[in-house]
């Protein structure tokens, strides 16, 4: 918390093509941690003493753009500010009649798309296959597992509390759940939950959990390297098992996934997710914190597993 600072600033004057907006929901996401390190990544690092930027849903208060009017709700990559001026072109209108506003930061936003496109584009699921998801009770993981069930897969989730494991089965329809914090032998527990081996591994956490999954992969299996939250706070390169022999032995694919690489598939993905949500095939799960001051703590709490589903802050 001592690395964060709050300050007051003048709101810029509105220019042609811009809107004055008031933030309603702020997304906190594990990848923001990566932007706080000055290392080579798929997104540029944050600059010191500048506002942090993340997904935000805001209401238009004043407009000098023909695209947006006062009262519209918009989504965009915006600064952590209560009020700000933004270019209308960089914002997307969202429809509060179709879904809750916060859903556009999660299941109908970046994390929902990550789940859908990661699973379908790299996982290439076939009915009857076995899918293992780590970080399973979080924003991406909970949607991956539910889509897996819609597509007819045997779905096993890995999460950090018994309550979350129970939720995977009762709320999201997973077939099995494993608590990685209390299970002594993860390799054996995964094998037991996946009697036919693993065809697809949707990896949100990396590290030791993912090492144990590797022991159970099938021939021609696919791993989606979506996230590695277990190592995001490491200051030294972690020692991990060597993946190559596992992949060779099983002719297995392991591929990194970055949501921005699939921009041309985003609108079709949102259409599919909206349809499943409206048909009640997908359940939207969120942890909602309140107040601008609670944004930094909400971000830190992701690394302690204090969220279920998508963590958002309501202003
Ligand atoms: P989540 O909602 O899943 O929140 C993070 C969760 O990670 C926590 O709730 C916690 O659950 C788990 N976690 C925290 N620390 C550890 C640890 N040391 N070991 C194992 N699990 C841990 O976040 P998101 O759904 O937003 O993101 C999930 C992953 O997907 C992240 O790694 C993120 O960076 C990545 N991502 C990647 C994208 C891409 O384009 N590549 C896009 C979006 C997300 P628990 O209680 O189970 O430990």
């Amino acid at each position: 918390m001592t690395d964060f600072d709050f300050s007051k600033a003048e709101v810029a004057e509105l220019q042609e093509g811009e809107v004055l907006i008031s933030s309603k929901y702020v997304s906190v996401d594990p990848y923001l941690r990566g932007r706080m390190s000055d290392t080579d990544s798929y997104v540029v690092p944050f600059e010191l003493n500048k506002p942090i930027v993340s997904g935000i849903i805001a209401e238009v208060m004043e407009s000098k753009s023909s695209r947006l009017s006062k009262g519209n709700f918009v989504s965009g990559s915006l600064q952590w500010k209560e009020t700000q001026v933004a270019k209308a072109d960089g914002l997307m209108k969202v429809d509060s009649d179709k879904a809750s506003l916060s859903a556009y930061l999660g299941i109908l936003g970046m994390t929902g798309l990550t789940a859908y496109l990661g699973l379908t584009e790299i996982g290439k699921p076939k009915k009857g296959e076995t899918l293992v998801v780590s970080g399973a009770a979080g924003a991406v993981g909970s949607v991956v597992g539910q889509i897996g069930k819609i597509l007819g897969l045997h779905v096993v989730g890995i999460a950090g509390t018994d309550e979350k494991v129970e939720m995977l089965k009762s709320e999201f329809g997973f077939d099995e759940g494993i608590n990685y914090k209390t299970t002594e032998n993860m390799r054996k527990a995964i094998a037991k939950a996946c009697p036919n081996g693993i065809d697809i591994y949707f990896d949100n956490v990396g590290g030791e959990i993912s090492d144990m999954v590797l022991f159970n992969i099938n021939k021609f299996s696919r791993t989606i390297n979506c996230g590695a939250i277990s190592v995001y706070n490491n200051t030294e390169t972690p020692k991990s098992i060597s993946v190559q022999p596992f992949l060779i032995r099983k002719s297995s694919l392991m591929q990194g996934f970055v949501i921005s690489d699939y921009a041309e598939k985003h609108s079709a993905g949102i259409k599919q997710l909206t349809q499943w949500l409206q048909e009640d095939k997908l359940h939207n799960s969120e942890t909602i914190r309140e107040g601008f001051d609670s944004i930094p703590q909400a971000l830190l709490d992701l690394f302690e597993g204090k969220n279920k589903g998508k963590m958002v802050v309501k202003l």
Side-chain angles (χ1 to χ4, degrees), residues 133 135-138 141-142 156-159 163-178:
V133 188
S142 61
V156 177
I158 302 172
E163 196 192 344
K164 286 186 181 183
V165 165
E166 187 45 42
M167 186 179 87
L168 294 180
K169 294 188 271 187
S170 60
E171 250 181 71
F172 304 129
F174 283 54
D175 297 287
E176 299 282 349
I178 301 169

Side-chain angles (χ1 to χ4, degrees), residues 28-32 42 110-111 114 134-142 158-161 164 180-181 202-206 209 225-232 256-260 301-311:
V28 289
D29 302 272
Y31 81 92
L32 297 174
Y42 60 89
M110 193 259 292
T111 54
T114 296
S134 56
V140 174
S142 61
I158 302 172
T161 66
K164 286 186 181 183
Y180 72 90
K181 287 190 181 156
F202 198 108
D203 187 6
N204 286 313
V205 305
I209 294 173
N225 287 128
C226 172
I229 192 167
S230 72
V231 299
Y232 287 174
F257 174 88
V258 177
I259 186 59
S260 51
D301 283 350
L302 292 171
F303 294 84
E304 303 287 330
K306 290 191 180 155
N307 63 308
K308 289 182 205 134
K310 178 76 188 100
M311 179 83 103

Side-chain angles (χ1 to χ4, degrees), residues 57 99-111 277 284 286 312:
I57 303 295
S100 67
L101 286 175
S102 53
Y104 292 97
L105 293 177
I107 201 161
L108 296 182
M110 193 259 292
T111 54
L277 199 60
N284 185 24
E286 297 172 326
V312 290

Side-chain angles (χ1 to χ4, degrees), residues 6-315:
F6 291 93
S7 63
K8 287 200 185 299
E10 292 287 311
V11 178
E13 206 175 308
L14 205 55
Q15 306 292 326
E16 213 42 55
E18 293 181 337
V19 283
L20 175 72
I21 51 176
S22 160
S23 301
K24 297 293 165 202
Y25 289 93
V26 175
S27 178
V28 289
D29 302 272
Y31 81 92
L32 297 174
R33 175 64 184 85
R35 296 191 68 182
M36 293 169 190
S37 306
D38 196 7
T39 48
D40 180 30
S41 181
Y42 60 89
V43 267
V44 288
F46 289 126
E47 285 178 58
L48 283 174
N49 303 316
K50 294 264 173 70
I52 294 180
V53 171
S54 73
I56 288 183
I57 303 295
E59 183 176 359
V60 176
M61 311 306 286
E62 244 183 278
S63 175
K64 280 199 175 176
S65 154
S66 53
R67 277 193 62 235
L68 296 170
S69 326
K70 186 173 180 327
N72 284 161
F73 290 103
V74 291
S75 152
S77 192
L78 292 161
Q79 296 181 335
W80 284 4
K81 287 181 174 174
E82 288 177 313
T83 308
Q84 62 194 289
V85 164
K87 291 208 181 327
D89 282 352
L91 303 173
M92 198 179 74
K93 229 191 265 188
V94 296
D95 186 349
S96 58
D97 292 334
K98 272 196 184 156
S100 67
L101 286 175
S102 53
Y104 292 97
L105 293 177
I107 201 161
L108 296 182
M110 193 259 292
T111 54
L113 278 174
T114 296
Y116 175 66
L117 293 172
L119 181 62
T120 53
E121 295 291 319
I122 299 178
K124 299 198 186 327
K126 291 188 269 312
K127 200 173 173 192
E129 287 188 326
T130 294
L131 162 71
V132 170
V133 188
S134 56
V140 174
S142 61
V143 180
V144 171
Q146 293 184 79
I147 297 175
K149 287 316 298 174
I150 294 171
L151 301 178
L153 309 178
H154 175 73
V155 179
V156 177
I158 302 172
T161 66
D162 287 345
E163 196 192 344
K164 286 186 181 183
V165 165
E166 187 45 42
M167 186 179 87
L168 294 180
K169 294 188 271 187
S170 60
E171 250 181 71
F172 304 129
F174 283 54
D175 297 287
E176 299 282 349
I178 301 169
N179 179 347
Y180 72 90
K181 287 190 181 156
T182 55
T183 301
E184 266 179 35
N185 189 330
M186 280 296 286
R187 179 179 168 177
K188 266 196 189 159
I190 294 166
K192 188 165 172 243
C194 306
N196 298 322
I198 298 166
D199 301 296
I200 307 168
Y201 175 42
F202 198 108
D203 187 6
N204 286 313
V205 305
E208 280 174 33
I209 294 173
S210 302
D211 291 348
M212 293 306 112
V213 171
L214 273 175
F215 283 97
N216 294 287
I217 56 172
N218 284 340
K219 183 115 178 145
F220 301 121
S221 53
R222 290 83 67 199
T223 291
I224 303 112
N225 287 128
C226 172
I229 192 167
S230 72
V231 299
Y232 287 174
N233 282 321
N234 284 12
T235 47
E236 282 169 28
T237 309
K239 285 201 170 58
S240 214
I241 60 166
S242 189
V243 300
Q244 291 85 353
F246 291 93
L247 303 185
I248 295 165
R249 220 179 295 143
K250 297 292 180 180
S251 310
S252 182
L253 173 85
M254 185 178 269
Q255 188 176 332
F257 174 88
V258 177
I259 186 59
S260 51
D261 291 342
Y262 295 85
E264 79 286 359
K265 305 213 163 161
H266 286 189
S267 58
I270 291 292
K271 206 170 151 201
Q272 177 63 85
L273 290 161
T274 307
Q275 187 191 325
W276 281 332
L277 199 60
Q278 286 171 342
E279 290 171 354
D280 250 352
K281 289 183 177 164
L282 281 183
H283 172 71
N284 185 24
S285 171
E286 297 172 326
T287 298
I288 300 188
R289 298 282 174 82
E290 302 236 351
F292 190 79
D293 294 359
S294 63
I295 302 173
Q297 192 59 52
L299 172 64
L300 297 179
D301 283 350
L302 292 171
F303 294 84
E304 303 287 330
K306 290 191 180 155
N307 63 308
K308 289 182 205 134
K310 178 76 188 100
M311 179 83 103
V312 290
V313 181
K314 183 180 182 189
L315 304 193

